[in-house]
Amino acid sequence: MKSLFGSLVYCLFLFVSDVYGTHRLNGFDPQQVTAQSYAQRRNIARPPLRTLAPSVPTLPSVTTLQPVMTTLPLELTTTPVPPTLPVSTQSGVVITTTSVETATDNSCRSRPLDLVFIIDSSRSVRPGEFEKVKIFLADMVDTLDVGPEATRVAVVNYASTVKIEFLLKAHLNKPNMKQAITRIEPLAAGTMTGLAIKSAMTEAFTEESGARPKSKNIAKVAIIVTDGRPQDQVEEVSAAARGSGIEIYAVGVDRADMTSLRLMASNPLEDHVFYVETYGVIEKLTSKFRETLCGWDPCDMGHDCEDMCVSSSSNNSYHCECREGYLLNTDKKTCSQSQTRVDPCAMGHDCEHICVSSNASHHCKCRKGYILNLDQKTCTLKQIKAVVVVEDPCKCEARLAFQMQTQAALQEITARLADMTGRVEQIENILGPV
């Protein structure tokens, strides 16, 4: 009898314990939710939102929550954590995110680039804000297809002075590159943006520093991030950089001078000038640059070429070509056998320099250094306007230019005097001796 009574008491105890545990789960235990949020941050590549306030999850039924209480401690103690990168939240507290590449990273392969970030770290950029710039750089690296034959990245840091943090040839994989970004420190006062652009052009975008030669047609891109007004001239040096083939994007933050941003950026300005109110939202530009730098193959997106579609990596367009033995028709889409066609240029033309056959017609082109006149036949030597790249602080170049102008003027005066003397002698010879 005592044994039966003890068994009933034990069963009642188990029933009460089960009801109590079920009540606690349905009552939304804050400690358990916090632990789940912590586990989520540790086991995904990047949190959905840059915030420390965990979102309230939808609690499932008791039967599905019961295994969580037993497996959650195992996940926190046995799951290996990949290398982490510091991330600053808007509250100023530093958390970490893993460097594991997600499926999103591979959904879009960027076209090969030689990419140089030029970042402002002057006194106006506070330490917390500079950390957000580094997060932006790391996020940008995540969106790129980094590698020796893909995209190479360099970082130029500037204030009163310029420091090249690492060159294009230094880090050819994402983990090493992001680790190098975490080691970047702000410099000092001053905003010598023009000097930074010049340093990027003459030091970072060189083959010795890891840039690919022009023959490979790898796009050269510079992204400038600044929050102030440049203390030096940026218009001429930016023009020289663009003239050398560098595409410039200008990102202004908070107090940035919009006029200077427009002077630095490439055309069209609406595609190359960006502005954000604070460094806290600069990460939103990552998706914008992702759209800009991603190299979708236009031919893969669909085309109407009868024979071959050829993509253009420079402007995301394509054109049609024909196989050997065929010529492209006037519709620029279909092809016809070349034997049925006659070369218009071979039949005679009136081009001064070069005749280019185009199916049943032809057009004229000029040799390098010349431009085609309005008659579309003759050519004129192109006038090249010299561009002064850097302002001369000591005015030595200005003195030299003045001396050259003065010398030219003296030579012109001397020539005129010689001409007048010759005319006087002719008159004297005509009049004869007096």
Side-chain angles (χ1 to χ4, degrees):
M1 187 68 180
K2 290 184 179 180
S3 176
L4 179 62
F5 179 77
S7 298
L8 291 174
V9 171
Y10 179 75
C11 293
L12 181 62
F13 174 78
L14 291 178
F15 176 76
V16 172
S17 299
D18 184 62
V19 172
Y20 178 74
T22 302
H23 175 73
R24 285 197 62 188
L25 288 176
N26 288 331
F28 185 62
D29 186 355
Q31 294 182 351
Q32 181 180 354
V33 174
T34 304
Q36 290 174 340
S37 178
Y38 174 76
Q40 181 188 26
R41 290 201 302 271
R42 286 176 60 91
N43 287 285
I44 61 175
R46 195 174 302 282
L49 296 174
R50 301 269 187 212
T51 175
L52 289 181
S55 58
V56 179
T58 303
L59 291 178
S61 63
V62 177
T63 57
T64 58
L65 274 180
Q66 190 64 30
V68 174
M69 297 181 63
T70 60
T71 59
L72 182 60
L74 295 177
E75 291 180 1
L76 291 176
T77 57
T78 62
T79 302
V81 181
T84 57
L85 178 71
V87 175
S88 297
T89 63
Q90 295 183 4
S91 61
V93 182
V94 177
I95 61 177
T96 58
T97 60
T98 63
S99 60
V100 176
E101 293 185 24
T102 63
T104 306
D105 296 326
N106 296 322
S107 62
C108 170
R109 291 295 184 186
S110 65
R111 55 192 170 104
L113 303 172
D114 285 339
L115 175 61
V116 175
F117 291 99
I118 305 174
I119 56 173
D120 179 2
S121 65
S122 57
R123 183 182 300 169
S124 60
V125 183
R126 291 181 284 272
E129 296 173 335
F130 191 71
E131 289 300 313
K132 291 180 172 62
V133 175
K134 291 160 63 174
I135 296 170
F136 168 67
L137 297 185
D139 287 347
M140 285 293 299
V141 168
D142 276 335
T143 67
L144 300 172
D145 184 18
V146 176
E149 301 302 323
T151 293
R152 302 180 183 182
V153 178
V155 176
V156 175
N157 187 9
Y158 79 94
S160 297
T161 58
V162 177
K163 179 182 178 183
I164 298 183
E165 297 291 347
F166 56 85
L167 297 171
L168 293 169
K169 64 181 180 181
H171 305 293
L172 300 179
N173 60 73
K174 292 185 182 182
N176 291 347
M177 189 177 296
K178 293 169 69 174
Q179 200 65 25
I181 290 174
T182 63
R183 294 192 293 266
I184 299 176
E185 297 292 336
L187 297 177
T191 311
M192 302 297 286
T193 310
L195 180 61
I197 297 173
K198 178 189 174 186
S199 299
M201 179 174 59
T202 58
E203 299 180 47
F205 281 111
T206 63
E207 292 185 30
E208 294 78 11
S209 299
R212 269 69 66 90
K214 290 185 177 180
S215 59
K216 290 194 173 183
N217 294 322
I218 302 297
K220 291 177 170 54
V221 177
I223 299 179
I224 304 171
V225 181
T226 180
D227 75 336
R229 181 188 299 271
Q231 295 178 342
D232 55 356
Q233 297 296 321
V234 297
E235 182 175 7
E236 292 181 351
V237 69
S238 299
R242 297 192 300 267
S244 68
I246 301 173
E247 184 179 8
I248 301 179
Y249 292 86
V251 177
V253 184
D254 193 11
R255 303 167 292 274
D257 179 48
M258 295 302 298
T259 301
S260 300
L261 296 178
R262 295 188 181 97
L263 291 176
M264 293 185 287
S266 298
N267 286 317
L269 295 179
E270 59 269 20
D271 295 333
H272 292 82
V273 177
F274 302 95
Y275 174 81
V276 291
E277 294 180 352
T278 65
Y279 281 100
V281 295
I282 192 172
E283 294 173 68
K284 294 183 179 179
L285 292 179
T286 305
S287 59
K288 179 63 178 177
F289 278 112
R290 179 186 177 85
E291 297 172 2
T292 302
L293 302 179
C294 276
W296 300 108
D297 190 338
C299 290
D300 290 342
M301 302 299 291
H303 63 87
D304 51 3
C305 299
E306 179 185 22
D307 203 338
M308 294 186 297
C309 176
V310 180
S311 299
S312 174
S313 60
S314 59
N315 56 6
N316 289 333
S317 63
Y318 71 88
H319 65 275
C320 301
E321 291 186 359
C322 299
R323 296 189 304 271
E324 185 176 357
Y326 291 79
L327 289 176
L328 193 66
N329 294 326
T330 54
D331 60 6
K332 302 298 182 183
K333 301 175 184 179
T334 59
C335 301
S336 299
Q337 288 187 349
S338 58
Q339 288 81 355
T340 61
R341 297 188 174 274
V342 179
D343 186 358
C345 290
M347 300 298 294
H349 63 86
D350 51 1
C351 299
E352 183 180 5
H353 282 185
I354 304 171
C355 176
V356 180
S357 296
S358 176
N359 296 318
S361 63
H362 74 276
H363 64 274
C364 301
K365 291 180 64 176
C366 297
R367 295 191 298 270
K368 186 176 181 180
Y370 291 80
I371 57 175
L372 193 65
N373 294 327
L374 294 177
D375 60 5
Q376 301 298 312
K377 300 176 183 179
T378 60
C379 301
T380 303
L381 185 64
K382 185 186 299 183
Q383 299 294 326
I384 301 177
K385 183 178 179 181
V387 178
V388 180
V389 176
V390 182
E391 183 181 358
D392 185 16
C394 66
K395 307 300 180 183
C396 299
E397 293 291 337
R399 292 177 186 174
L400 181 60
F402 176 77
Q403 291 175 0
M404 294 176 64
Q405 293 175 358
T406 304
Q407 185 178 1
L410 290 175
Q411 290 176 351
E412 184 179 359
I413 293 173
T414 302
R416 290 184 179 180
L417 288 174
D419 181 63
M420 292 178 63
T421 302
R423 292 184 181 181
V424 170
E425 290 177 355
Q426 291 178 358
I427 294 174
E428 289 178 351
N429 292 334
I430 294 173
L431 295 177
V434 180

